[in-house]
Structures are given as structure tokens and as C-alpha cells.
Amino acid sequence: MDQDIITSIRVIPMEHYLMLSFLLFSIGVAGVVFRRNTIIILMCLELMFNSVNLLLTAFSAYHSDPRAQVFVFFIMLVAAAEVTVGLAILVMMKRNVDSVDVNQLNRLKW
Amino acid sequence: MSALVLLSVLGVLLLYAGLFGKRTLLAPLGIIGLLATMVVIRSGWMMNVPLVGAMVRFDHFGSVFGQALTLITVLLFIFGIDYYSRVRENVAEQYALIIFSLVGAVLLISYSNLLVLFLGIEILSIPLYILAGGKRDSFRSGEAAFKYFLQGSFASGFFLMGIALLYGSTASLDLATVQASAASASGSAHMLYLLGLFFTIAGLAFKVAAVPFHFWSPDVYEGSPTLVTAYMSTVVKTAAFAAFHRLIAGMELPGAIQTMLVVMTLLTLFLGNIVALRQTQFKRLLAYSGIAHSGFLLLTFLGSDPGAPGVLFYYSITYSLATMGLFVVLTLAKRSANGDENIRIFRGLYRSSPWLAIVTMLLLLSLAGIPLTAGFVAKYQVFLLGIEGGYILTTAFAVAMALVGVYYYVLVIREAFTPREQAPELVVSRLNWLVISFCGLAVVVLGLVPELLRF
């Protein structure tokens, strides 16, 4: 069974996984940079993390090495912890300015 | 290993103490726990146990940095007794979060696997996002927390991408294997390796606030509670630099990455020092001074001298001691000025409390790198390292920038010694006096006898 999954992952060449995860990563980066709604930004951060997960899993199958798959679990865990804190901070901000627009954050500047 | 367990348990204990309303117990408990951790790290008891698949290695480097980091946190906790006596809610949580964040710092100084490097950075950062927003009703604190969180996670994304690419080209997460592959990788694997190293270094550069990844630092420093800012600019910065050192020391850096480091060093030195010149808010001034000092610390990465870790240690610890003292002084001055942070609040300090003014002067002179203080010895060693590594022009530029830097520190000293009609009334508690005097004496003694802080 496990071998089946690995061979089926390997049907698609590595370059394609690489391109796909770069694409997803770029979409995430673009979202964080250009969108103003904080919820969307959080989603785009998740997209960045998940593109890395995809890449690690593909590499793991290609190297026949399970360690990277364990790493993926850690990434999921950390991403969950991070988004928990992020949402809490977001709620705090919403209470202060009654908005989730990042452009509201402009009181601190040089 | 035992230090990690001890610190984690200490954090939980602090939370329990808070739960049962034992507020006066918090800081003493934390200080005792931290001192115990320091003793454990020093004695090496159960430290080098290969428990988590030998992914953490407490070598000499980790042990020395571990002791220094816990010592600085002890100073921070002593300062915290007075600082948190004015805060009503969630004090235990804040102490516990500092301890949890310190666990991440200990992982960062002792990792030997990229997975632990990632976990260390996240364990260090996630409590900090919360701590930055510690003043719940303050808009600026919330904004600092949010900016730190967004930019921190963004940087983590790049950092993770870097680790994935390094893994892809070397088929291993082990630090030694990854470092050894620097020379052997070729073709498309080499391309992946370069890109991976680039992203990983960018992620770490974010943590140490090196230009062009420094945008968060002034805003977050200014908005966060002062105690948290002090923690960020001392323990977090030192731990991040130690992690940076572990990643790239002992590695034959590819040419492109070497160039990237040099460019980053030059930009950091330039921007940190030049922008600091026009700051009038003291916290922002210290933030830009922190960026400038990151530039000097980056110089230690350029060569491949075996003395580099010692220089890095001496520089980062003396810098930490000096900034720690200054943040305590700032808190006291800010209180007497009703929350103002402009450097004008130091005016007349010499009249009201001469000792405080003199110590402030010593700390600022140490940051500026004036002879007879520790800051001078530190800068001197860094410059020597740069010249020995063959980076003569870069070092010359760093020396010029160090001279520019003297200006904005002296500006603050001048304020402290300018007489004023109504001199500020600073209330210095005995413990704060202890912290300030310790930092002030340390920078002088370490400047006169640098051997005391041997690596």
C-alpha cells in the first residue's frame, strides 16, 4: 500500500511538483502583499505553508525518506498555533479600530 | 535536554502560581528557576542526552550562550518585579510566555537539525507575538503585535520554503550533511541548494533585523511594552545570531551567498546608523541602533576565523547588557514624564540623580564603542576579524559607520547633562537600581578586563 502511494506520487515528474508549489507559494506571497483584508492575508499565509508541505511530501517520496513527512506534521502544528495567535490579535485589533483592514495600522511610523 | 525540560516546567509552574493568585511569588519563582537552569547548563548534567533523535546538541557553544541568555533573562525578571507591579492583569501569563520563548532560544543555540531550527524559531516567536500585544487597551501595542505577527509569519513562510529546498537538494535535514553538501551539489541540485540557502538566510535575517528585512523592528520596538522590547533586543537577538552562526559557520559558503551577506552587512550598517541620526523617540533610536549593531555582528560571519564564535559571544552579550540597562532607565524616565518617549525626557537627569546619569552615559558610550568600555573591545574584535577575513573595504565602511553612530548616542548623553529648571523626579526602586548598576559596571569591567567573558 505505502509503496503504491510512493510509486503513484512518482508518476508525475519532480519538476511539476516544484512548479506547482512555487506557483502556490507565489499566489500566497502576492496575497499577503497586495490584499488589504486581514482574513484573506491569514489565508494566504496558510497557502504559503501548505505549498511547502506539498513540496516536502513530494521530495520525501522521491528521496524514499520519511523524515520530511514528519516535518510536514510539525509545520501543520506550528501553522495552527500561529493562526490561533493571529486570530486572537486580530480580534483585539478589531475591538480597537472596528475594522480588519491593514491600512488602519498606521500610527507607528518613522 | 534537562535545561529544556526545566524551563518548560518552570513556565507551567508560573501559570499555576498565577492561577492561584500568588502574584508576589511569580518573579522570585522565575528567578530561582532560571538560576537553577543556569547551574544545570553549566554543570552539563543530563544535557547532552540524545533524546530527540540527536537533533539537539549541547556543545560548548550552546552551553556558553545558554548560560548568558538565562543570566540576561534573570536581569529582565528582576526589572519585571517593579515593572509589573503597575500592571493588574495577566502578569503570570506574561512571565510564563517569556520563559516559553526562552525555551525556543535554547533550542536555537543548540540545534543540529533543520527541523529543530524551525521549531526553535517558532517557539521563540509565537509567545513574542502575544507579548508584543501585552497592553490590551493600547492601540499601539495591538498594532505592534499585529505587524510583528504578519511579518513574522511571512518570513517563516520563506524560511520554510528554504528548508524544503535544502532538503530537496541534499535529501537530509541534518545540519552537518546540509553544510557538507555546499561544495558537492551540482547542476539543478546546486540551483535548489542556492535558492534554499538564500531563503533560509533571509528568514534568519528577518529575526536579527538585518536590512532589507528590518521593517518590523522600529514599529514593534516602539509599540511593545518596554520590558518586552528589552527582551526582544537582548535575548531574541542574541539567540537569533547564535542560530545564524550555527547555520553558516563551518560551511564553505557559495559565492552568491557570500555576496548576499556582504551586501546585507553594508546595507544594515548604512541604514541603521543613518536613519538613527534623525530619531527623536528614544525607543525608536534604540531600535535603529539595534539594526546598526546587527550590521556589526553580521561582519563576524564574513570570514571563517575560528575565533568568530568568541567575538560573536562577546559582542552580543555586552550589547545585551548595555541595552538592558538603558531600557530600565527609559522606563523610569518615561514614568516621570507621563509616558513621553522623546529623548528630551532625559534632560536634567544629572541634577536629580547623578549616579543614574553617569551609568546611562557609560551604557551609551559602550553602545557607541568608546574606548575603556566593553563596546569598544567588541567593535575592535569585530573589525579585526573583518580585516583578517580579507574584507578590508567592508570593514573600513563599518568603521566609518561606527563613527557616525557616536553622534546619536552622544546626543542623548548631552540631554542627560543639560541642566533644566524642573529636573525630572525619578523614583528608582532598589531592584531597578541593582539592575542598572550591574549593567553599568559590567560594561566598564568587561571593557577593562575582556578576559572575564571568555568563550
Side-chain angles (χ1 to χ4, degrees):
Chain A
M1 181 61 197
D2 291 349
Q3 215 48 47
D4 279 357
I5 295 174
I6 289 180
T7 40
S8 61
I9 286 180
R10 285 187 184 170
V11 168
I12 304 171
M14 190 59 229
E15 288 75 27
H16 292 220
Y17 286 110
L18 206 58
M19 285 304 145
L20 176 62
S21 62
F22 273 164
L23 188 67
L24 286 176
F25 191 77
S26 312
I27 294 172
V29 170
V32 173
V33 174
F34 294 117
R35 295 304 291 262
R36 308 273 47 127
N37 186 318
T38 316
I39 305 280
I40 307 266
I41 291 179
L42 284 181
M43 286 160 63
C44 291
L45 282 174
E46 287 301 299
L47 194 59
M48 284 169 72
F49 283 133
N50 282 332
S51 72
V52 174
N53 285 349
L54 175 71
L55 189 60
L56 273 174
T57 320
F59 273 137
S60 172
Y62 268 82
H63 291 318
S64 306
D65 172 32
R67 276 172 298 184
Q69 293 175 35
V70 179
F71 198 144
V72 168
F73 282 107
F74 277 98
I75 295 178
M76 286 175 179
L77 193 85
V78 166
E82 220 165 49
V83 91
T84 313
V85 170
L87 284 173
I89 295 173
L90 179 66
V91 170
M92 183 172 86
M93 208 186 89
K94 174 86 166 54
R95 283 203 189 120
N96 282 337
V97 293
D98 200 28
S99 158
V100 288
D101 190 330
V102 281
N103 284 342
Q104 297 287 329
L105 301 175
N106 52 11
R107 306 234 180 134
L108 298 170
K109 56 173 74 137
W110 62 335
Chain B
M1 199 64 223
S2 52
L4 289 172
V5 177
L6 196 58
L7 281 177
S8 311
V9 172
L10 178 64
V12 177
L13 274 182
L14 285 174
L15 282 179
Y16 269 107
L19 190 64
F20 294 113
K22 306 261 188 269
R23 274 197 57 161
T24 46
L25 218 73
L26 288 172
L29 184 65
I31 291 166
I32 292 169
L34 284 168
L35 289 176
T37 313
M38 210 161 101
V39 171
V40 165
I41 297 178
R42 188 170 183 81
S43 69
W45 177 74
M46 294 284 277
M47 281 306 278
N48 230 340
V49 189
L51 258 186
V52 270
M55 294 200 276
V56 177
R57 205 177 62 239
F58 271 98
D59 42 15
H60 179 65
F61 183 84
S63 158
V64 173
F65 269 94
Q67 290 170 45
L69 289 183
T70 38
L71 175 73
I72 295 168
T73 319
V74 167
L75 287 180
L76 195 78
F77 270 51
I78 298 176
F79 168 41
I81 294 176
D82 176 54
Y83 186 84
Y84 281 126
S85 65
R86 287 144 192 267
V87 183
R88 265 183 293 122
E89 288 179 313
N90 304 332
V91 177
E93 284 83 348
Q94 305 219 12
Y95 277 126
L97 282 171
I98 292 177
I99 295 285
F100 289 140
S101 170
L102 187 64
V103 174
V106 173
L107 281 178
L108 278 184
I109 56 176
S110 59
Y111 70 94
S112 62
N113 188 299
L114 295 180
L115 170 58
V116 179
L117 171 61
F118 168 67
L119 284 181
I121 284 199
E122 292 302 319
I123 296 175
L124 182 79
S125 308
I126 292 177
L128 278 179
Y129 301 150
I130 311 173
L131 282 168
K135 292 186 197 155
R136 262 195 301 178
D137 40 358
S138 149
F139 181 87
R140 293 200 313 167
S141 181
E143 179 175 339
F146 198 75
K147 277 188 172 161
Y148 197 21
F149 165 74
L150 266 192
Q151 301 187 24
S153 321
F154 193 54
S156 295
F158 278 99
F159 180 69
L160 267 179
M161 189 44 124
I163 291 181
L165 293 176
L166 282 180
Y167 174 77
S169 74
T170 62
S172 170
L173 288 167
D174 184 59
L175 187 63
T177 321
V178 170
Q179 286 177 335
S181 313
S184 62
S186 61
S188 63
H190 186 61
M191 190 65 211
L192 282 187
Y193 188 86
L194 275 187
L195 208 56
L197 204 56
F198 177 79
F199 279 151
T200 319
I201 288 180
L204 279 170
F206 172 86
K207 275 282 155 254
V208 301
V211 180
F213 309 102
H214 68 288
F215 295 104
W216 61 277
S217 147
D219 289 353
V220 173
Y221 274 36
E222 191 187 344
S224 307
T226 309
L227 186 122
V228 177
T229 312
Y231 181 75
M232 279 178 200
S233 60
T234 55
V235 175
V236 174
K237 183 166 269 199
T238 307
F241 262 107
F244 210 149
H245 179 84
R246 274 184 96 89
L247 180 71
I248 63 173
M251 181 202 270
E252 193 70 36
L253 280 179
I257 302 294
Q258 191 75 27
T259 318
M260 170 199 172
L261 272 179
V262 173
V263 171
M264 211 159 75
T265 312
L266 291 176
L267 282 177
T268 311
L269 283 167
F270 181 74
L271 199 124
N273 281 304
I274 297 299
V275 181
L277 288 178
R278 56 185 291 269
Q279 297 302 321
T280 50
Q281 302 285 316
F282 190 61
K283 251 178 165 178
R284 281 187 101 75
L285 178 74
L286 278 183
Y288 279 106
S289 129
I291 295 175
H293 281 278
S294 286
F296 293 116
L297 280 162
L298 280 173
L299 269 179
T300 59
F301 295 151
L302 295 183
S304 52
D305 194 271
V311 177
L312 180 71
F313 178 69
Y314 186 83
Y315 197 116
S316 54
I317 299 308
T318 50
Y319 167 77
S320 298
L321 286 171
T323 36
M324 173 67 78
L326 282 175
F327 274 115
V328 181
V329 176
L330 167 70
T331 310
L332 301 175
K334 192 178 156 186
R335 255 179 216 161
S336 72
N338 291 326
D340 190 9
E341 283 173 4
N342 198 294
I343 55 172
R344 262 178 294 129
I345 59 174
F346 292 110
R347 185 167 290 182
L349 188 65
Y350 183 71
R351 278 287 166 75
S352 56
S353 39
W355 172 241
L356 212 58
I358 289 169
V359 173
T360 310
M361 181 185 76
L362 289 175
L363 296 173
L364 284 165
L365 287 179
S366 175
L367 284 185
I370 306 293
L372 294 186
T373 60
F376 170 74
V377 182
K379 281 211 174 71
Y380 174 74
Q381 287 178 335
V382 166
F383 294 152
L384 214 58
L385 213 59
I387 291 171
E388 277 170 3
Y391 292 90
I392 297 182
L393 281 179
T394 315
T395 313
F397 183 73
V399 173
M401 281 299 134
L403 292 178
V404 172
V406 172
Y407 175 75
Y408 53 84
Y409 295 116
V410 171
L411 213 59
V412 182
I413 298 176
R414 200 191 67 180
E415 286 291 332
F417 285 86
T418 308
R420 188 170 70 170
E421 286 297 308
Q422 299 148 316
E425 276 306 311
L426 267 67
V427 187
V428 192
S429 81
R430 201 164 281 178
L431 289 170
N432 280 347
W433 185 87
L434 184 77
V435 175
I436 297 169
S437 306
F438 177 81
C439 294
L441 286 179
V443 293
V444 176
V445 172
L446 289 176
L448 294 173
V449 200
E451 293 79 28
L452 283 178
L453 201 64
R454 237 192 357 257
F455 181 67

